Amino acid sequence: MIFGYTKVSTKEQILDSQIDSQESAGCQEIFSEKISGKRILKPPFDLLISKLRIGDVFVADSLDRLGRTSRGLTDLPHYYIEPGIQFKSLKEGMFDITIPIREAI
């Protein structure tokens, strides 16, 4: 299954462009939230993580939607890569582990 994650930091911001990108990328289920990156508890994100299974693909619009700090981003492999879940960032193509390296070059 292909899961998408969209996030904006304030309630006034709009998620439409991120959702459009996710749908174009083939996401079958999209989890969205309007929450500050400072918040530790992110219920939609946590629900998404709980649904991921081996062979699933996790798609984010951009890495900055997943973490505010280097530490937050370095924690990503523990959620997505180690359990056999593929990860893809739509804006940072180098973070697409859904294709073999030779195909990406």
Side-chain angles (χ1 to χ4, degrees), residues 1-64:
M1 181 123 177
I2 302 172
F3 293 95
Y5 176 72
T6 64
K7 182 181 107 36
V8 291
S9 300
T10 67
K11 292 180 181 182
E12 295 79 28
Q13 292 175 305
I14 299 171
L15 291 161
D16 293 353
S17 65
Q18 289 183 52
I19 291 171
D20 290 345
S21 296
Q22 300 277 320
E23 289 172 348
S24 294
C27 293
Q28 298 159 294
E29 190 170 352
I30 299 172
F31 293 80
S32 300
E33 57 191 340
K34 294 184 175 190
I35 191 167
S36 169
K38 294 178 186 177
R39 299 277 308 265
I40 297 196
L41 296 176
K42 298 178 180 141
F45 181 82
D46 294 337
L47 179 60
L48 167 58
I49 295 302
S50 74
K51 288 186 150 208
L52 292 171
R53 301 291 179 258
I54 292 173
D56 287 342
V57 179
F58 177 99
V59 178
D61 195 59
S62 177
L63 290 175
D64 67 356

